[in-house]
Amino acid sequence: MNAREEVLARIRAANANAGVGLGGGVRGPGADDDGDIPREYHRGGGPAPGSPPLLDLLRRRLVDYRASVVDAAPGDEPAAIRAALAAASAEHPRGSAEHPPPSADNPPGSAEHSPRSAEYPPDSAGRGGGAVLVPPGLPAGWCPDGVVDGGFTAVELDGFAAVVTGCAAACALTGTIALDGSPDQGRRAITLVPDVHVCVVRADQVVHGVPELLARLDPTRPITLISGPSATSDIEFDRVEGVHGPRTLAVILVTDPTDPTDPTA
Amino acid sequence: MTAAFLGIPAPPGVGQLRGGRPFPAAARDALADSQLRRNLGHATGVIRTKRAAAVGELDDWEQLRLAGEAIKRATMARLDDHLVRLEAEVTARGGTVHWARDAHEANAIVTGLVQATGATELVKVKSMATQEIGLNAALADAGITAHETDLAELIIQLGDDVPSHILVPAIHRNRAEIRELFLREMPGVDPSLTAEPRRLAMAARAHLRRTFLRARVAVSGANFGVAETGSLVVVESEGNGRMCLTLPETLITVMGIEKVVPSWRDLEVFLQLLPRSSTGERMNPYTSTWTGVTPGDGPQAFHLVLLDNGRTAALGDAVGRDALHCIRCSACLNVCPVYERTGGHAYGSVYPGPIGAVLSPQLTGIHSGSDDNASLPYASSLCGACYDVCPVRIDIPSLLVRLRTAHVDAARDRPLPTAEALTMAAAAWVMSSPTRFAAAETASRLGRLAGRATGRLSSLPPPLSAWTSSRDAPRPPEETFRQWWSRTRGGPAHPAGQANPPPPGGFAGPAGSAEPRGSAGPAGPAGSAGPAGSAGPAGSA
Ligand code: SF4
């Protein structure tokens, strides 16, 4: 008996021994036990997607976990993206604790100090120049000077200071943004290696809870759920931000202030 | 622990599941380490507060727990079907599925897969399954270097240390100790490094950056595997998981067979239960899900290794199988008064704390009364705090009592009864008669008076002193279960004790009050035990 057959046989025997299940592994196709699961937790019924209370909750949750968030009206995304990139560079200038100057643990010439990084911060006009990476499907005009991902290697990705993307959905209750690899978000690596992630969230993408968030996602796509910048609780259970993923997460919330009842307007 | 087993016998698991000596001996050393106790007390205190706040925010927490428990129970009842489905979906989307009967087989599969790529190093995401099977040592034997990338695992690896917690393996180390370790062991570290956690985290970032960028192979565990879609899920914080799951060309995931969940929808329950229970966050910073291989995105070769290693042996026990529901959140460790004092190393296994005390002996089997893992089920006061916080409602105290009974059975052949065999037998004898049960409860209240001065009984008379010499016993409660029952229900209770014979040697002394929650005693009202619950039959703390 090969390992597969043996493990499956052990499971059937164990269930039979414990008096559980049918033990024979012979059940009709599509057999579903889900009717027996008590799903009395909240599965919807909260504020409508994109409604002002939800957006307010999302803002608070994001800030609570050290992401920054700014509002932008539809059409103002390019300016908001420029401002977010400039703010990220001002907040974490080279030589600060977050971007330490070359040192023994961070020697010059290492991937962290590749020539591309030197182009960051953005130029005086607030544009990211060559240091900002964008996915192939980012809406035209959002980040005119961004470099479109052309399948860069990991080391090449590390030369970019920032990345700008859209998102698939967002969950207000937990302050979570979901990426699913759609053209405006790109492959997973591009939102991981650069140190700054600017993410544009449309109000109509914002749902209340985790069930509503997962219901909006296609499980066959590669999905990343992001709740704030990278963090760790590994030292004395003390949460600190800034480990391997982007150390800055800037969210731009696109909402029409003239029509708060219709976020999709 | 199962007497008659039908069909294929499920052999015990092997790997990093036992220590070199029994719990009481190891605990005695840990108790003498005051720095360790301070570190543990501080860290578990911090996380208990955070968890309580995160859980308190949800008004449907109990409904989520009930759903989580029910999903796990239903999954185990048809585990074979769900694994077959998972295999089919992963395969259909470009992945390859392997099955491993035990740790040796899993290590051989992973080693072979790595060798086939020609790589001599790989990056790893923290994973209990790969720790359990001792994968790093097996890879080293084959000349392959495994780089741990989780901060706590890095601390363990640099210090040539052993994990002591399932979520924060270096919980026994404080920031000053970690700084010293980094200065000593991390090549090229900034000598001005401070003990500020943020600075320590950034030192780790710089240290691992180039390793991530060059890695061609990664090994991960999985928090969940979704049968209906073939999706694997890794829940993490630092981004080291994303690095491993995204950048290399080849990804090998080792997953215990109990980690499968039937449907994508089930994640809506577990992705709420897990982060709030483990790190006390509304949501952990990063959760990754992937399904087979996605062209142009992430590893283009994906292998899933499904691991038994004793899990089917646990599944064969009608009570003990609930330990397989564990989602490894670590909440039960963080609230356990025994864990807080002894730390994780005393448990020997990679699975410490309350869940370790029920899982490790089941995975390895208890081969004899003197088996090291046989003492683990006694490493508990049965206070019930672990059950109260468990996000999938595993009734750990009942499982502990069940395993103690199994151990006592295994020890019967020995010429001299052990302390726990005597006390278990005494408890069974006491519980088998309502009169004796009432007398024992009253006696245990006298014990409470005796312990009033300090709130702890620092020793008990022999043979129970074998247990209290290394641990303080909690005082028995003000009111016994029977008193509570007669006061609130107005009638005498009828404990449904088992009709066991009197203990060998005619041991007659009432030995601490019986545990109402335990499977051998009367059913207590849910949640009535709490921290004030009565001491277990062994009088352990
Ligand atoms: S037994 Fe429950 S509380 Fe303990 S680690 Fe497992 S899921 Fe968490």
Side-chain angles (χ1 to χ4, degrees):
Chain A
M1 204 175 333
N2 66 25
R4 178 185 189 275
E5 294 310 316
E6 187 163 340
V7 172
L8 289 171
R10 287 178 190 174
I11 291 168
R12 288 164 190 148
N15 273 338
N17 192 66
V20 176
L22 299 182
V26 189
R27 269 142 286 187
D32 186 4
D33 309 312
D34 204 72
D36 301 334
I37 308 294
R39 295 188 189 267
E40 277 147 31
Y41 53 89
H42 302 314
R43 303 193 70 236
S51 61
L54 266 197
L55 301 185
D56 195 44
L57 183 61
L58 176 66
R59 283 186 202 100
R60 282 185 282 125
R61 296 303 201 221
L62 285 168
V63 169
D64 197 27
Y65 280 170
R66 305 286 181 272
S68 70
V69 52
V70 294
D71 284 6
D76 289 348
E77 292 92 347
I81 290 167
R82 273 200 307 278
L85 289 169
S89 81
E91 196 184 327
H92 305 290
R94 291 269 160 206
S96 73
E98 288 78 12
H99 293 268
S103 65
D105 66 333
N106 206 8
S110 75
E112 274 210 294
H113 290 280
S114 68
R116 269 186 199 276
S117 298
E119 296 175 36
Y120 189 70
D123 63 21
S124 56
R127 290 177 304 212
V132 177
L133 181 64
V134 298
L138 196 74
W142 275 16
C143 189
D145 297 322
V147 176
V148 177
D149 175 35
F152 295 110
T153 66
V155 172
E156 287 169 336
L157 289 176
D158 200 41
F160 288 93
V163 61
V164 179
T165 71
C167 78
C171 169
L173 195 63
T174 58
T176 302
I177 291 166
L179 307 180
D180 71 355
S182 293
D184 64 335
Q185 299 149 51
R187 64 195 173 111
R188 288 170 289 172
I190 69 166
T191 46
L192 172 62
V193 182
D195 205 12
V196 174
H197 181 192
V198 176
C199 186
V200 180
V201 179
R202 289 195 324 267
D204 65 289
Q205 294 179 309
V206 181
V207 298
H208 183 238
V210 174
E212 299 96 309
L213 177 73
L214 291 181
R216 283 203 174 195
L217 299 174
D218 174 355
T220 62
R221 305 187 69 94
I223 290 167
T224 308
L225 306 181
I226 298 175
S227 307
S230 84
T232 182
S233 302
D234 275 357
I235 300 171
E236 301 176 13
F237 259 126
D238 192 9
R239 178 177 159 125
V240 293
E241 283 79 21
V243 202
H244 303 294
R247 288 181 284 190
T248 300
L249 174 64
V251 175
I252 294 168
L253 191 52
V254 180
T255 174
D256 189 346
T258 63
D259 189 3
T261 58
D262 182 4
T264 60
Chain B
M1 82 204 55
T2 46
F5 206 95
L6 314 169
I8 300 273
V14 289
Q16 312 301 306
L17 290 167
R18 3 171 134 254
R21 53 199 184 141
F23 182 83
R28 205 170 294 120
D29 288 353
L31 286 170
D33 185 342
S34 57
Q35 182 68 53
L36 174 71
R37 289 178 72 158
R38 264 198 304 278
N39 293 352
L40 284 169
H42 170 71
T44 55
V46 168
I47 192 59
R48 282 197 298 265
T49 308
K50 286 178 66 180
R51 178 205 161 271
V55 166
E57 277 184 7
L58 293 188
D59 62 6
D60 58 348
W61 184 251
E62 287 310 315
Q63 287 82 358
L64 286 165
R65 288 178 81 213
L66 286 165
E69 178 188 27
I71 292 167
K72 285 291 185 182
R73 180 150 291 127
T75 305
M76 296 306 146
R78 289 182 48 209
L79 187 57
D80 49 343
D81 290 351
H82 295 306
L83 290 170
V84 167
R85 177 76 187 271
L86 176 68
E87 177 187 45
E89 298 296 333
V90 169
T91 306
R93 293 184 166 87
T96 308
V97 177
H98 311 258
W99 299 69
R101 280 166 280 222
D102 61 18
H104 302 310
E105 193 163 28
N107 287 335
I109 291 168
V110 175
T111 304
L113 290 170
V114 178
Q115 283 169 334
T117 69
T120 55
E121 65 167 3
L122 53 82
V123 285
K124 271 188 75 196
V125 204
K126 178 179 138 38
S127 128
M128 292 310 300
T130 60
Q131 274 177 23
E132 171 190 327
I133 63 177
L135 178 63
N136 290 7
L139 290 169
D141 287 345
I144 299 162
T145 306
H147 301 284
E148 292 290 354
T149 64
D150 177 82
L151 176 53
E153 291 286 359
L154 176 67
I155 294 166
I156 297 293
Q157 200 172 39
L158 284 176
D160 201 14
D161 203 345
V162 188
S164 70
H165 190 278
I166 59 176
L167 182 74
V168 183
I171 194 172
H172 55 290
R173 297 272 172 238
N174 66 29
R175 60 188 73 186
E177 293 170 298
I178 294 165
R179 170 179 172 269
E180 279 172 33
L181 176 69
F182 280 13
L183 288 175
R184 199 172 62 237
E185 300 291 342
M186 201 177 258
V189 72
D190 180 356
S192 66
L193 182 68
T194 68
E196 191 193 339
R198 187 174 172 76
R199 297 287 299 146
L200 295 170
M202 276 188 298
R205 175 186 169 106
H207 174 72
L208 285 172
R209 194 73 174 180
R210 276 158 287 167
T211 309
F212 280 132
L213 297 180
R214 70 166 182 255
R216 291 170 45 214
V217 179
V219 171
S220 84
N223 293 94
F224 308 99
V226 181
E228 79 172 348
T229 62
S231 310
L232 280 297
V233 184
V234 164
V235 173
E236 54 131 356
S237 294
E238 298 170 13
N240 61 314
R242 292 178 70 193
M243 290 277 180
C244 294
L245 301 173
T246 307
L247 297 184
E249 298 150 17
T250 300
L251 172 62
I252 303 165
T253 298
V254 181
M255 183 182 110
I257 53 175
E258 83 282 17
K259 297 286 184 180
V260 68
V261 296
S263 72
W264 177 254
R265 181 168 63 161
D266 295 328
L267 294 179
E268 73 189 22
V269 175
F270 297 113
L271 290 184
Q272 296 195 73
L273 290 172
L274 181 53
R276 290 182 197 259
S277 297
S278 58
T279 49
E281 294 167 306
R282 295 183 190 102
M283 190 65 95
N284 50 289
Y286 300 130
T287 297
S288 297
T289 79
W290 72 98
T291 304
V293 168
T294 304
D297 188 348
Q300 295 302 296
F302 171 55
H303 297 273
L304 175 63
V305 181
L306 296 172
L307 175 72
D308 179 350
N309 203 38
R311 286 159 176 76
T312 47
L315 192 69
D317 187 275
V319 177
R321 61 193 276 133
D322 283 9
L324 297 175
H325 300 178
C326 174
I327 58 173
R328 309 280 190 269
C329 74
S330 80
C332 59
L333 279 65
N334 301 329
V335 299
C336 178
V338 176
Y339 177 86
E340 186 179 347
R341 283 163 182 77
T342 64
H345 293 154
Y347 295 79
S349 163
V350 297
Y351 300 109
I355 182 59
V358 294
L359 190 58
S360 306
Q362 292 201 89
L363 293 179
T364 61
I366 297 174
H367 302 299
S368 70
S370 56
D371 190 312
D372 288 340
N373 274 354
S375 60
L376 288 178
Y378 298 89
S380 166
S381 63
L382 301 180
C383 74
C386 48
Y387 172 65
D388 292 341
V389 297
C390 179
V392 290
R393 294 169 45 91
I394 300 173
D395 186 357
I396 295 176
S398 286
L399 269 62
L400 288 165
V401 169
R402 163 81 174 178
L403 288 168
R404 290 178 188 188
T405 311
H407 170 223
V408 171
D409 287 347
R412 271 220 176 101
D413 301 336
R414 302 199 331 169
L416 287 173
T418 59
E420 57 271 22
L422 278 173
T423 49
M424 272 309 289
W429 175 73
V430 165
M431 284 188 287
S432 66
S433 148
T435 315
R436 286 194 294 256
F437 189 78
E441 284 199 316
T442 305
S444 86
R445 284 184 62 238
L446 295 176
R448 178 173 183 83
L449 292 174
R452 181 154 289 167
T454 62
R456 292 271 152 188
L457 290 166
S458 58
S459 67
L460 288 172
L464 305 177
S465 55
W467 288 96
T468 51
S469 64
S470 61
R471 288 158 294 158
D472 294 344
R475 282 189 297 157
E478 303 273 3
E479 186 178 42
T480 66
F481 172 72
R482 286 175 58 92
Q483 286 168 336
W484 174 87
W485 183 269
S486 356
R487 180 169 61 77
T488 55
R489 305 295 161 97
H494 297 284
Q498 292 160 351
N500 279 16
F507 180 84
S513 69
E515 166 55 39
R517 188 200 295 282
S519 58
S528 73
S534 57
S540 61

